[in-house]
């Protein structure tokens, strides 16, 4: 943990979509827990005054999680607003003024990455970077080259120790829980390696489309939107070595080692898909080649994992909304001839619930010579008072705890892995909404024994 709590939060993009959907609800939740006692300065160019920002904040929390009158009042008491152009030095003078005696402000750039350079430069010129932290939103670049350029821009005014790159997946309790489950238990470790694991599959399925985000999504696609960041983080949690200490750098070192061991993706191990109807969405090019689905296979060339294929599949308009990992073990040798034994597996679900399940062979009830796969299962439902990912990451950034943020070397390794897929235009196959992606997946990128499709009970 680095020294000192941030004593002010400045957030750029205060009138934008992200502020509306995520930031105000997170700030209200922080206020409710007594975690918000510093000035919160919203910045945007909308011709607004602070009253209008308060009204927007009220609307935002009502729409996203509900208004808590006392906590919202606390938030409003902290809220300030600076209206102005990011190109205009006067905007930054006004921020400096609003910061008053603050020594360690956190600047949160909830704005398009094309504006990062400009804002960071203006912050530096106006004396707002001294003692400050900067929090940046994903997507962090759009490929390896642009991410490197972005890193250079940020590092021009901030130290790596003071840069917090958000991947909200890391703020999800179940994602963190994967690490806890692996390293707080003894029984897993003996089989968690190439000696026993046959393959690993990670599925992030969403049963909805692009929800009006056509203009963003069409430039982005599934690989950039969720694989390069969220799913490689999930994979790192599954594959990393036990960290020797729990400080942020030791944990992040172990994650970077996982990525370093992954060769860049090969085109023949990737199948991209696009749901039928995508090209009719607003903001999407009528001849778009952007993927809304991807299935891919990669390897981790480390002592622990060499030879074990890892499969990742993610997409929009799939049959369910669920993120789940299946670690399949090698088939047991058997003296029970005539039984059709299935490989054992460990299933870890990240959402919508936290599930940990071990799949094992048992004799089918009422049978003498038939087995079936049964699961030993533990499930936790998310609790209403649980910290949302944004509340957690914002709070951690303001505390200076970088554990749940992507470090420069991590981000660049992640882009290196997916970069060839972004450049090689592999075909995009159409799939029907509500299916598990294009048919080509089964013939081209399928784990031994096939994909295990998650099922979700309706609430
Ligand atoms: C975002 C992606 O980062 O993560 C979205 O841009 C995706 O496309 C979302 O739907 C999934 O995260 P969550 O927390 O809503 O499951």
């Amino acid at each position: 943990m680095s020294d000192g709590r941030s004593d002010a939060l400045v957030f750029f993009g205060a009138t934008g979509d992200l502020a509306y959907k995520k930031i105000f609800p997170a700030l209200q939740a922080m206020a409710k827990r007594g975690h918000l006692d510093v000035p919160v300065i919203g910045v945007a160019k909308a011709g607004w005054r602070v009253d209008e920002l308060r009204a927007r904040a009220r609307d935002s929390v009502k729409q996203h999680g509900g208004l808590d009158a006392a906590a919202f009042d606390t938030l409003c008491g902290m809220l300030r607003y600076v209206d102005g152009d990011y190109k205009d030095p006067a905007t930054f003078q006004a921020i400096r003024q609003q910061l008053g005696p603050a020594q360690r402000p956190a600047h949160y750039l909830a704005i398009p990455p094309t504006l990062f350079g400009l804002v960071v430069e203006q912050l530096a010129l106006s004396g707002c970077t001294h003692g400050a932290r900067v929090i940046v939103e994903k997507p962090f670049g759009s490929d390896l080259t642009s991410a490197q350029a972005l890193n250079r821009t940020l590092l021009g005014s901030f130290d790596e120790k003071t840069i917090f790159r958000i991947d909200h997946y890391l703020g999800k309790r179940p994602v963190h829980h994967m690490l806890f489950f692996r390293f707080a238990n003894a029984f897993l470790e003996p089989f968690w390696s190439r000696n026993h694991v046959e393959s690993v599959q990670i599925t992030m399925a969403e049963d909805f489309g692009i929800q009006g985000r056509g203009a963003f999504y069409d430039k982005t696609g599934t690989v950039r939107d969720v694989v390069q960041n969220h799913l490689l983080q999930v994979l790192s949690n599954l594959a990393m070595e036990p960290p020797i200490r729990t400080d942020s750098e030791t944990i992040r070192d172990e994650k970077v080692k996982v990525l370093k061991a992954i060769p860049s993706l090969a085109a023949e191990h990737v199948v991209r898909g696009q749901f039928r109807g995508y090209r009719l969405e607003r903001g999407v090019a009528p001849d778009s080649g952007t993927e809304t689905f991807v299935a891919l296979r990669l390897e981790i060339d480390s002592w622990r994992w060499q030879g074990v294929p890892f499969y990742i599949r993610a997409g929009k308009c799939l049959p369910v909304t669920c993120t789940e990992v299946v670690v399949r073990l090698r088939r047991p040798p058997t003296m029970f001839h005539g039984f059709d034994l299935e490989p054992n597996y460990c299933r870890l679900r990240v959402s919508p619930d936290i599930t940990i399940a071990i799949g094992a062979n048992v004799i089918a009830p009422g049978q003498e010579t038939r087995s079936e796969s049964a699961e030993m299962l533990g499930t936790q439902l998310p609790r209403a008072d649980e910290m949302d990912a944004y509340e957690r990451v914002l709070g951690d950034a303001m505390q200076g705890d970088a554990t749940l943020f992507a470090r420069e070397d991590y981000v660049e390794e992640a882009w290196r892995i997916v970069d060839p897929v972004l450049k090689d235009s592999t075909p995009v196959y159409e799939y029907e909404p509500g299916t598990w992606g294009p048919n080509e997946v089964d013939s081209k990128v399928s784990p031994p024994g096939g994909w295990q499709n998650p099922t979700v009970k309706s609430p």
Side-chain angles (χ1 to χ4, degrees):
M1 205 175 277
S2 78
D3 35 0
R5 267 194 75 202
S6 298
D7 50 7
L9 175 69
V10 181
F11 71 110
F12 292 85
T15 57
D17 210 41
L18 186 73
Y20 187 73
K21 289 191 181 140
K22 300 285 187 189
I23 302 175
F24 289 121
L27 291 171
Q28 179 185 262
M30 286 165 82
K32 185 169 180 188
R33 254 181 256 274
H35 292 173
L36 191 73
D37 53 3
V38 298
V40 176
I41 305 160
V43 188
K45 184 171 187 263
W48 286 9
R49 280 167 315 174
V50 70
D51 287 345
E52 280 142 309
L53 191 69
R54 286 197 186 120
R56 171 91 168 165
R58 176 182 291 273
D59 206 39
S60 144
V61 295
K62 277 191 183 157
Q63 293 296 322
H64 298 99
L67 178 82
D68 179 301
F72 187 73
D73 270 4
T74 310
L75 168 60
C76 281
M78 308 286 166
L79 203 58
R80 321 265 185 276
Y81 180 61
V82 170
D83 194 88
D85 199 302
Y86 299 150
K87 286 203 242 17
D88 186 355
T91 308
F92 294 81
Q93 296 307 335
I95 296 172
R96 186 56 267 175
Q97 231 167 27
Q98 289 287 356
L99 282 172
Q103 301 287 312
R104 293 182 305 277
H107 300 293
Y108 180 8
L109 310 188
I111 49 177
T114 43
L115 296 172
F116 287 178
L118 175 67
V119 169
V120 164
E121 191 186 328
Q122 294 278 19
L123 283 170
L125 288 172
S126 58
C128 292
T129 48
H130 187 73
R133 299 191 171 111
V134 65
I135 307 168
V136 289
E137 262 304 326
K138 92 169 238 291
F140 194 85
S142 53
D143 58 9
L144 178 57
T145 313
S146 58
Q148 285 168 331
L150 211 49
N151 275 326
R152 277 195 300 276
T153 301
L154 293 177
L155 289 165
S157 303
F158 292 90
D159 256 13
E160 176 60 30
K161 270 205 328 238
T162 62
I163 302 173
F164 294 78
R165 298 174 191 80
I166 290 192
D167 178 334
H168 81 281
Y169 242 61
L170 285 177
K172 286 179 184 273
R173 201 171 76 93
V175 173
H176 176 67
H177 192 261
M178 289 168 68
L179 275 190
F180 187 84
F181 179 62
R182 277 195 61 200
F183 299 129
N185 293 300
F187 73 93
L188 220 58
E189 182 59 16
F191 69 78
W192 209 254
S193 73
R194 65 191 154 82
N195 296 329
H196 295 284
V197 174
E198 177 195 67
S199 66
V200 177
Q201 45 176 291
I202 303 173
T203 297
M204 176 183 180
E206 294 181 313
D207 67 1
F208 47 87
I210 52 169
Q211 299 181 310
R213 299 157 78 214
F216 160 77
Y217 203 88
D218 211 35
K219 283 199 274 42
T220 307
T222 313
V223 174
R224 289 187 177 93
D225 189 37
V226 300
V227 174
Q228 184 271 347
N229 34 67
H230 305 335
L231 296 179
L232 288 184
Q233 287 286 0
V234 169
L235 179 125
S236 305
N237 279 358
L238 285 174
M240 69 193 258
E241 295 302 317
I244 228 77
R245 291 194 310 235
T246 55
D247 61 280
S248 60
E249 295 324 293
T250 308
I251 291 178
R252 299 198 298 174
D253 286 346
E254 291 304 337
K255 291 188 167 186
V256 174
K257 283 189 210 159
V258 174
L259 297 197
K260 282 186 174 163
I262 302 177
S264 300
L265 287 170
E268 68 265 30
H269 292 149
V270 177
V271 170
R272 299 191 301 139
Q274 188 185 79
F275 66 80
R276 189 189 295 280
Y278 171 73
R279 293 179 183 184
L280 302 174
E281 299 264 352
R282 196 153 48 86
V284 171
D287 58 349
S288 171
T290 300
E291 77 281 357
T292 60
F293 172 97
V294 71
L296 58 89
R297 171 197 155 130
L298 52 81
E299 304 225 333
I300 306 178
D301 271 338
S302 65
W303 182 263
R304 184 188 286 265
W305 293 117
Q306 197 174 59
V308 178
F310 283 71
Y311 294 83
I312 293 180
R313 156 178 84 153
K316 303 282 185 193
C317 287
L318 301 191
V320 294
T321 297
C322 179
T323 300
E324 186 167 281
V325 172
V326 176
V327 177
R328 211 173 259 164
L329 304 189
R330 296 186 193 288
R331 199 175 289 274
T334 183
M335 56 190 200
F336 297 113
H337 301 291
F339 283 82
D340 193 12
L341 297 187
E342 294 291 329
N344 298 148
Y345 62 85
C346 175
R347 184 165 70 82
L348 302 176
R349 179 172 287 190
V350 167
S351 77
D353 51 85
I354 308 187
T355 293
I356 293 167
I358 304 286
N361 291 304
V362 296
I363 296 184
Q367 302 284 325
E368 296 296 325
T369 55
R370 204 165 63 75
S371 71
E372 67 176 21
S373 190
E375 282 195 337
M376 291 173 264
L377 185 93
T379 298
Q380 283 180 358
L381 290 173
R383 288 170 44 143
D385 62 351
E386 207 160 89
M387 262 197 202
D388 159 79
Y390 266 86
E391 183 190 351
R392 190 186 310 273
V393 293
L394 260 184
D396 280 8
M398 291 179 70
Q399 289 283 353
D401 183 348
T403 313
L404 300 183
F405 297 84
R407 210 167 58 187
E408 176 194 9
D409 47 353
Y410 181 95
V411 169
E412 292 185 9
E413 285 295 334
W415 280 121
R416 176 199 48 82
I417 293 166
V418 300
D419 226 38
V421 181
L422 307 173
K423 307 245 150 74
D424 261 11
S425 49
T426 54
V428 179
Y429 302 102
E430 199 173 55
Y431 62 96
E432 283 304 323
T435 65
W436 284 102
N439 295 334
E440 284 74 8
V441 174
D442 286 338
S443 55
K444 295 191 168 155
V445 186
S446 181
W451 287 97
Q452 191 163 317
N453 294 334
T455 51
V456 176
K457 287 196 207 98
S458 27

